[in-house]
Amino acid sequence: MIGIERWIQQVYPDKWAELEVIDKKFNAVEGRLGFPPKKRYQCLTGSHEVNTLIVERQWASLAAMEATYEKAFADPEYQALQKEEPSIIKSAHMELYMPLP
């Protein structure tokens, strides 16, 4: 089953430049670990504030997503990047979706 992973993150207003720097590092590590490409969106209007970042990925299966995250959580470089996030990301939550026929 295909899975759509969606992160909704609140970025501190003055941290967008730092977010770009760390995201490039995440891209390199995630690429090495087998993550599919991500799409990123900043909210302009709607139910979220302007400092909202949406990150989406499409996974071939939820099992593939789980296996990739298991590798990531055991990877020292990925762990180090995660420790930098709290100074940039105020809050975050993840949603999972499956496409309908």
Side-chain angles (χ1 to χ4, degrees):
M1 169 179 52
I2 292 174
I4 308 295
E5 171 190 18
R6 184 173 195 246
W7 282 94
I8 296 100
Q9 301 174 327
Q10 297 298 315
V11 179
Y12 288 108
D14 60 341
K15 299 294 185 171
W16 285 92
E18 288 179 43
L19 174 69
E20 292 305 313
V21 171
I22 195 172
D23 196 55
K24 286 180 180 163
K25 295 176 185 178
F26 265 113
N27 286 342
V29 174
E30 291 170 347
R32 175 175 55 78
L33 294 171
F35 280 77
K38 61 187 170 191
K39 293 181 180 178
R40 301 168 62 226
Y41 309 93
Q42 182 178 4
C43 183
L44 296 178
T45 185
S47 61
H48 296 289
E49 63 180 69
V50 172
N51 289 307
T52 300
L53 174 69
I54 306 293
V55 180
E56 293 183 345
R57 282 194 172 89
Q58 182 171 317
W59 293 88
S61 69
L62 296 180
M65 183 180 91
E66 181 180 15
T68 304
Y69 270 109
E70 284 179 4
K71 286 192 298 187
F73 294 149
D75 184 85
E77 194 174 1
Y78 189 88
Q79 292 173 1
L81 287 172
Q82 281 193 308
K83 289 180 182 176
E84 293 182 42
E85 284 185 311
S87 67
I88 299 168
I89 306 292
K90 182 165 64 170
S91 66
H93 71 275
M94 194 230 334
E95 301 171 344
L96 284 175
Y97 296 91
M98 64 178 211
L100 296 174

